[in-house]
Amino acid sequence: MRLSETATPAKTPALVPLVVRSGFSLMWGTATPAALCRRARTLGYRRLAMTDTDNLYGLWPFLAACDREGIQPIVGAEVTEPGSRRRAVCLVETPAGYANLCRILTRRHRAAVFDLGTAVAELGAGLTVLTGNPGLIRKWRDAGLTVAAAVPRYPVAAVHPLARAARDMAVPLVAVPGSFLLDPADAAVHRLLRAIAGNTTLSGVPSEDCAPKAAWLATPAVYARRFQTCPETIRATHDLAERLVFTRPGFGTIMPPWENGTGRGADAELRVAAFQGARQRYGQDLPEAVTTRLAYELRVIADKRFSAYFLVVRDIVAQSPRICGRGSGAASLTAYCLGITNVCPIKHRLYFERFLNPGRSDPPDIDIDFAWDERDAVLASVLGKFSGRAALVANHVLFQPRMAVRETARVFGLPEGEIRRVIRRVPRYNTGDGSLLDHIRSRPESRDLDLASPWPEIISLAERIIGLPRYLSVHPGGTVITPGPIDRYVPIETAPKGIPVIQWDKDGAEDAGLVKIDLLGNRSLAVIRDAVVEVRAAGAVFDERNWVPEDDPATRAIVAAGRTMGCFYIESPAMRLLQQKTGRGDFEHLVIHSSIIRPAAGGCIREYIRRLHGEVWTPIHPLLADVLGDTYGIMVYQEDVSKTAVALAGFSHADADRLRKILSKKDREYHLGDFRERFFAGALKRGVPTDAIERVWEMIMSFSGYSFCKPHSASYARVSFQAAYLKTHFPSAFMAAVISNQGGFYSTFAYVSEARRMGLKILPPDVRTSGVRWAAAGPDALRVGLAAVKGLTAETCRRTVVRRPFANLSDFLSRVRPDAAEARALVRCGALDGLLPGANRAALMWALARWEQQERSLSLFEDEATIPVLNPDAEIVRLRREFAVLGFLCDRHPMALFEGNPAVVGTVKADCLDRHAGRRVSVAGWLITGKTVRTRRGDPMEFLSFEDETGVFETVFFPEAYDRFCAILEVNRPYVLSGKAVREWRAVTLTVDGVRPLAVRPIDPRRCAEIECPSHRSRT
């Protein structure tokens, strides 16, 4: 007879769920910690444990969710033994128990051999351990641990021996029904996750690889029914839970240790070092403004006990001669004097309180950029020096729409080609508006997409795993250093590269009080380094110590004109257009532009440009006149939010900073309501009209969680100016460094085009003279590096460089020994031309074939050795093969091949577009990059960059044009575009209303067949 779920035995307390897994039990659990806590509250639970398998990944989201839902958390984890079925749930009783749980989990992930029984016996103090293994119960009881016999369901025949063992050993028998699901409907999601994890189909998932059917978080009544024949197990569970009063680790702020080698304390040492550095920066006689501010900062730093942190960071940056200290830390004069940052906070009026203030409770962090190819060595040094006390911060990679749909389609058994066709139409990130299927169908490029069965089922199921964790990766550079063993604070894993990684992401580390140091890689620093090295190697005198590129008139001119491709943060199409529209190339305005160019700031940008060009404006309220005076009355920087809250609404610096910080939080909706109320109340109290408050609040909301603080923008602007200076005065060295360091926003193709427009000659790769990397060949030429040759291995490049000179082709082949494909590539790009003077590339192919047959008795290249070459030097054949190997042409832009083509006759060149402003024109161009955005109504539109041999031009595809043409547009293809040339201030863009793909044909159709363009990834 089926009993009612409400038939709870009288006087039996409600069961407390002690074995609950979230989605952080990777590829098993189906719910987020927030969803679990919401469900637990609705089911009537006042206490809840979250015990994810072998990790504490979700600890801090769980604790935050418990706080929101009014639930008392129980901290714990399930620990498994690899290669066996032995497992235990460890619940934390005390702070010492928490540290021991972290150590157990660390050993589970990092030990070569992990024995669950031994590990828990050694480290189980301060824990309550639940297991269904009688042998482990006896071992841990004998070791003096608090242990209980765990009964997942009752009655079950297999449980009876456990019940007898519990009685014999006098340990509690507790009811611990485990859950992986929120409700039974999540079983399909769970099975999907198991199929993805096992790389199999849905039907191929063994039943033993799935959670039991009853593994969902049920009501207390359901659990009472399940255990009605043994209600004492529920009482034992309740009594056990009542003893678990530990609710969270309380470390406070955990600073890295400073190794004292001077006999001075950290505060005294920092004071000495800061004033020494100040004299190096400002001279022996320090200005009063410097001494006053430095004394204030040092006092705040000492009061917050952050002195050791600054000293540790100082020692780290001393390893590299070129760094970019950025983020809010660049507002600190102390950091500037220590050489951690390179922008003077006094000169540029940087707001120290954005970084640190007396009321700030959470720890700040300092972000340091190193050259991208030096970062790993810096990290290795830090991890070595602080071995056992340092690790990198994790990144929790979540299922995003594309990943979710792709993985789900695979377990349905669909072929990769069909999956790719659909994936291109799936948004990269969750839009949060309507179903994913409707969103895909609404996209203009999906008009011809067949979404017949099983696609609706696939997409619907995939939508249910979006936002769940997929795997653990490593943060780009976040590093945590602790005074004692780090695995007492947080469990540690080992990344594939062998480096230690904490189990929390950056938000979790911050919530825990672990102070993070971001040690990041930056390609532009490597570009500047390499360009300066090449400039000096060419004999030029270059004094970096006294280098002030922002004061150079020629550099300011190219910045103001937006001719900044390759120049770090100011090279994107949006930034170059903003520079053109403003016409300002000074440092102060570039700092503004680096921060205002953010999502959702379109209206602010237009208003800023209008005011910049002379439109009269007044502050929204007199209280903001000084706060926003430097930015024409518009909020530009993160700290503008804080300053406005202080000035307009009477917030303290600490509360104002909390408001600023909430804007970037994932759960900002939980907090903004309260802050809005306080903001309006405080501003009204100061006599600010409601309409003015509304306008200011709207400006605050425009930040949408993304913007820069002013010190960060200033740091980026300095690096951008350094790059622009080198581009202006040493173009060949600079462009060689840009391409060798794999560029930035654009492809190698686009940078080669830019170099050619700058008047530089592109010399093809040559095995006799080329290095592995690109290099300046005098002031007016670039030599293509061997690494640019598609298919050429790093080892072949190395052998080529170290074994030259070569007497002839045979000598090169005998000593370098390239394989067949590499040899063909070298011929086709011209790298072997100099080894057979007077011969053409067809002759080189024949010579290669003969050598190969003699040396290896093989044909070097399929059928080319036997095909008669009637027109061996047909220009279009040479260009086609060169493009296929290099991805660009050395002696011309591909658009030059269309001269005389009827489709381009009458089109306007890119450098003449501004002369046709206000008119309808046609322009032929090569698509190099693009960005899709959405209008306020949610319609997609696109900004695309095209180029010809004369310049780059920007285009706008409004929703109607996007709808018509998006399906035919692909990067690295030529098009004829029609539309209106629109001038906005000093910038001209093309508003497109017509697109025709250009058929890629040779100059003279009688000479050769059609050019064969290689396939490229579609921009969509």
Side-chain angles (χ1 to χ4, degrees):
M1 176 178 176
R2 185 178 183 274
L3 295 177
S4 168
E5 292 187 351
T6 60
T8 306
K11 299 182 181 179
T12 300
L15 179 141
V16 178
L18 295 181
V19 182
V20 178
R21 289 91 161 189
S22 74
F24 284 104
S25 289
L26 301 183
M27 309 308 288
W28 280 86
T30 62
T32 64
L36 278 174
C37 290
R38 279 196 303 271
R39 177 59 58 85
R41 178 178 57 79
T42 61
L43 295 178
Y45 292 109
R46 62 181 183 85
R47 307 195 67 190
L48 181 71
M50 194 174 82
T51 55
D52 282 315
T53 305
D54 296 324
N55 71 75
L56 292 177
Y57 298 156
L59 174 62
W60 295 100
F62 169 63
L63 297 179
C66 285
D67 289 343
R68 287 195 300 270
E69 305 298 341
I71 290 175
Q72 184 175 333
I74 297 171
V75 177
E78 179 184 44
V79 186
T80 66
E81 182 176 278
S84 83
R85 300 180 66 86
R86 300 202 304 176
R87 60 187 58 228
V89 172
C90 298
L91 302 174
V92 178
E93 297 177 353
T94 65
Y98 171 81
N100 281 334
L101 176 57
C102 292
R103 296 170 69 190
I104 291 170
L105 291 171
T106 299
R107 189 180 294 186
R108 164 64 178 78
H109 285 283
R110 305 196 77 197
V113 177
F114 176 76
D115 180 270
L116 178 64
T118 303
V120 173
E122 293 177 0
L123 300 171
L127 298 172
T128 292
V129 189
L130 315 177
T131 184
N133 185 300
L136 291 178
I137 293 173
R138 184 175 300 279
K139 180 172 185 173
W140 294 335
R141 187 208 60 174
D142 293 346
L145 305 183
T146 302
V147 63
V151 184
R153 50 196 172 276
Y154 205 100
V156 176
V159 170
H160 295 164
L162 179 62
R164 288 196 299 271
R167 287 194 298 271
D168 293 345
M169 291 183 281
V171 299
L173 186 68
V174 296
V176 285
S179 66
F180 289 91
L181 322 174
L182 273 187
D183 55 52
D186 288 336
V189 177
H190 173 68
R191 191 169 191 85
L192 170 64
L193 293 173
R194 299 308 304 140
I196 294 172
N199 194 26
T200 186
T201 61
L202 282 174
S203 60
V205 181
S207 58
E208 61 269 21
D209 282 353
C210 291
K213 291 182 179 180
W216 45 277
L217 186 61
T219 65
V222 170
Y223 290 137
R225 176 175 58 82
R226 291 181 188 173
F227 291 88
Q228 62 179 328
T229 60
C230 195
E232 62 270 22
T233 59
I234 292 182
R235 183 178 297 278
T237 303
H238 180 272
D239 293 344
L240 186 153
E242 287 295 309
R243 291 193 299 100
L244 299 173
V245 295
F246 179 90
T247 58
R248 69 191 62 219
F251 307 133
T253 300
I254 304 301
M255 287 291 170
W258 176 63
E259 309 292 343
N260 189 347
T262 64
R264 292 188 288 263
D267 294 342
E269 176 65 19
L270 181 62
R271 175 172 291 276
V272 170
F275 275 95
Q276 286 177 346
R279 293 184 180 92
Q280 293 174 357
R281 294 284 196 184
Y282 299 103
Q284 290 301 310
D285 295 326
L286 295 178
E288 183 179 355
V290 172
T291 57
T292 301
R293 175 154 173 175
L294 197 54
Y296 166 72
E297 286 194 16
L298 289 168
R299 186 165 60 253
V300 173
I301 292 167
D303 288 346
K304 305 297 291 183
R305 300 184 179 179
F306 289 168
S307 296
Y309 178 70
F310 277 83
L311 293 170
V312 168
V313 176
R314 175 202 62 177
D315 293 344
I316 292 172
V317 301
Q319 300 178 55
S320 178
R322 182 174 288 97
I323 57 99
C324 173
R326 56 181 177 88
S328 62
S332 168
L333 180 63
T334 305
Y336 180 63
C337 293
L338 294 176
I340 294 171
T341 60
N342 290 307
V343 176
C344 174
I346 294 178
K347 177 181 178 181
H348 299 293
R349 299 182 300 281
L350 303 182
Y351 181 57
F352 176 68
E353 283 74 15
R354 164 63 181 87
F355 173 64
L356 199 60
N357 61 73
R360 180 169 179 165
S361 58
D362 58 310
D365 57 26
I366 294 179
D367 302 336
I368 310 294
D369 282 352
F370 299 86
W372 69 278
D373 51 359
E374 297 175 9
R375 172 183 166 274
D376 284 352
V378 173
L379 282 175
S381 172
V382 172
L383 295 174
K385 179 178 180 180
F386 297 100
S387 179
R389 295 179 292 168
L392 267 67
V393 174
N395 183 31
H396 296 158
V397 178
L398 311 181
F399 277 103
Q400 298 296 346
R402 286 193 175 184
M403 182 196 296
V405 173
R406 181 184 293 109
E407 299 274 25
T408 305
R410 283 174 177 166
V411 304
F412 271 70
L414 269 60
E416 286 297 323
E418 183 177 351
I419 294 173
R420 281 195 299 270
R421 282 194 296 273
V422 174
I423 289 298
R424 290 172 55 184
R425 276 77 171 184
V426 177
R428 294 184 183 276
Y429 301 102
N430 196 7
T431 60
D433 51 352
S435 76
L436 183 59
L437 182 60
D438 289 343
H439 181 85
I440 296 169
R441 283 175 168 161
S442 70
R443 295 180 69 140
E445 61 268 35
S446 299
R447 283 190 302 265
D448 302 325
L449 186 64
D450 182 10
L451 288 176
S453 180
W455 278 109
E457 182 183 358
I458 289 171
I459 294 170
S460 176
L461 195 54
E463 198 166 17
R464 297 176 66 184
I465 65 174
I466 293 173
L468 290 178
R470 176 65 173 95
Y471 57 87
L472 194 76
S473 70
V474 183
H475 185 275
T479 307
V480 172
I481 307 171
T482 54
I486 193 169
D487 63 0
R488 270 61 167 180
Y489 299 92
V490 54
I492 306 298
E493 297 188 21
T494 303
K497 283 188 175 182
I499 56 178
V501 182
I502 69 172
Q503 288 194 337
W504 301 329
D505 65 6
K506 64 182 181 63
D507 291 333
E510 180 182 300
D511 291 341
L514 298 174
V515 178
K516 176 168 60 76
I517 306 170
D518 277 340
L519 308 176
L520 302 156
N522 184 310
R523 291 191 183 275
S524 284
L525 291 177
V527 168
I528 293 166
R529 176 200 64 201
D530 294 347
V532 169
V533 168
E534 188 136 7
V535 166
R536 287 174 174 157
V541 176
F542 197 94
D543 181 12
E544 284 192 83
R545 291 180 62 86
N546 298 306
W547 186 22
V548 189
E550 55 266 34
D551 290 344
D552 177 62
T555 303
R556 285 188 170 201
I558 78 157
V559 171
R563 299 197 304 272
T564 50
M565 281 184 66
C567 298
F568 187 40
Y569 198 71
I570 57 175
E571 71 161 341
S572 71
M575 273 299 295
R576 291 189 296 101
L577 279 175
L578 179 57
Q579 289 304 118
Q580 293 169 21
K581 290 174 183 178
T582 61
R584 299 298 176 91
D586 59 280
F587 186 85
E588 289 72 20
H589 282 92
L590 196 65
V591 175
I592 294 174
H593 300 169
S594 296
S595 187
I596 203 172
I597 194 83
R598 66 177 189 268
C604 290
I605 291 173
R606 285 188 291 275
E607 183 62 24
Y608 162 74
I609 297 172
R610 282 194 289 268
R611 295 180 182 186
L612 177 68
H613 286 305
E615 183 170 302
V616 177
W617 62 276
T618 56
I620 293 177
H621 191 273
L623 289 173
L624 297 180
D626 291 337
V627 173
L628 303 177
D630 291 345
T631 56
Y632 304 87
I634 295 169
M635 287 188 196
V636 170
Y637 309 114
Q638 285 180 358
E639 58 267 44
D640 288 345
V641 172
S642 304
K643 290 179 178 179
T644 296
V646 171
L648 200 72
F651 278 36
S652 67
H653 284 296
D655 284 345
D657 191 58
R658 277 191 281 273
L659 168 61
R660 186 272 313 166
K661 200 165 189 179
I662 282 167
L663 293 175
S664 64
K665 291 291 186 182
K666 299 173 186 174
D667 59 350
R668 66 185 227 160
E669 67 274 8
Y670 290 109
H671 307 283
L672 272 178
D674 177 58
F675 271 96
R676 185 182 188 280
E677 225 174 88
R678 292 173 56 195
F679 187 88
F680 273 69
L684 285 169
K685 190 175 180 181
R686 295 191 169 205
V688 183
T690 302
D691 64 330
I693 304 173
E694 289 280 5
R695 290 165 60 196
V696 172
W697 187 257
E698 183 180 349
M699 208 185 300
I700 290 174
M701 292 300 100
S702 79
F703 279 73
S704 295
Y706 178 86
S707 68
F708 287 163
C709 58
K710 186 177 180 181
H712 184 91
S713 286
S715 300
Y716 267 12
R718 178 170 174 79
V719 176
S720 298
F721 256 109
Q722 290 176 333
Y725 180 94
L726 291 167
K727 182 177 184 179
T728 303
H729 297 284
F730 306 100
S732 60
F734 176 76
M735 293 306 295
V738 168
I739 300 172
S740 291
N741 284 286
Q742 302 166 41
F745 194 90
Y746 303 94
S747 65
T748 297
F749 175 94
Y751 289 120
V752 169
S753 300
E754 174 72 356
R756 194 181 290 111
R757 288 190 293 267
M758 292 164 64
L760 300 177
K761 185 177 181 180
I762 310 299
L763 304 178
D766 189 332
V767 294
R768 300 171 303 166
T769 57
S770 287
V772 175
R773 298 157 65 88
W774 290 59
D780 301 318
L782 294 181
R783 173 67 72 180
V784 178
L786 294 173
V789 180
K790 185 178 180 180
L792 204 61
T793 65
E795 179 57 25
T796 299
C797 291
R798 187 194 67 81
R799 288 199 302 266
T800 300
V801 172
V802 302
R803 295 181 182 179
R804 59 190 180 207
F806 307 113
N808 50 43
L809 178 62
S810 179
D811 184 36
F812 168 78
L813 295 170
S814 300
R815 293 167 57 202
V816 176
R817 313 296 292 187
D819 66 26
E822 290 177 313
R824 282 199 301 274
L826 288 168
V827 170
R828 288 171 171 170
C829 69
L832 300 181
D833 287 357
L835 296 181
L836 202 61
N840 56 48
R841 292 179 189 174
L844 276 168
M845 282 293 189
W846 281 98
L848 284 170
R850 288 197 301 271
W851 182 87
E852 184 72 15
Q853 289 169 335
Q854 293 168 3
E855 292 291 313
R856 306 178 190 176
S857 300
L858 294 171
S859 174
L860 181 65
F861 50 91
E862 300 165 358
D863 59 349
E864 293 201 43
T866 60
I867 295 178
V869 181
L870 301 178
N871 191 7
D873 275 340
E875 183 179 31
I876 205 64
V877 174
R878 177 181 68 80
L879 295 175
R880 173 176 61 82
R881 290 173 175 169
E882 181 179 310
F883 192 95
V885 171
L886 296 178
F888 55 87
L889 300 178
C890 292
D891 65 347
R892 71 193 75 185
H893 194 287
M895 292 305 300
L897 300 175
F898 297 94
E899 294 295 340
N901 188 313
V904 301
V905 172
T907 58
V908 174
K909 293 293 185 184
D911 64 345
C912 297
L913 190 60
D914 62 335
R915 302 178 195 171
H916 299 269
R919 304 178 197 165
R920 194 175 187 283
V921 296
S922 293
V923 191
W926 195 273
L927 178 54
I928 57 173
T929 190
K931 180 180 181 181
T932 304
V933 299
R934 289 191 172 268
T935 66
R936 287 180 181 270
R937 294 174 54 187
D939 299 322
M941 61 177 291
E942 197 155 28
F943 299 97
L944 299 180
S945 300
F946 294 81
E947 69 172 34
D948 62 16
E949 65 273 30
T950 69
V952 177
F953 61 99
E954 308 302 333
T955 67
V956 182
F957 285 70
F958 285 112
E960 183 180 352
Y962 177 86
D963 187 16
R964 292 173 59 196
F965 305 118
C966 63
I968 65 171
L969 290 166
E970 292 188 38
V971 170
N972 286 336
R973 298 281 182 173
Y975 300 89
V976 174
L977 306 126
S978 302
K980 186 177 180 180
V982 178
R983 184 188 300 279
E984 280 192 287
W985 293 283
R986 305 180 186 194
V988 176
T989 58
L990 184 70
T991 299
V992 177
D993 58 27
V995 177
R996 284 180 295 159
L998 267 174
V1000 190
R1001 298 188 180 281
I1003 299 170
D1004 183 351
R1006 295 169 297 180
R1007 293 177 58 188
C1008 187
E1010 184 176 68
I1011 296 178
E1012 186 181 298
C1013 279
S1015 296
H1016 288 273
R1017 175 179 60 86
S1018 166
R1019 73 184 209 299
T1020 58

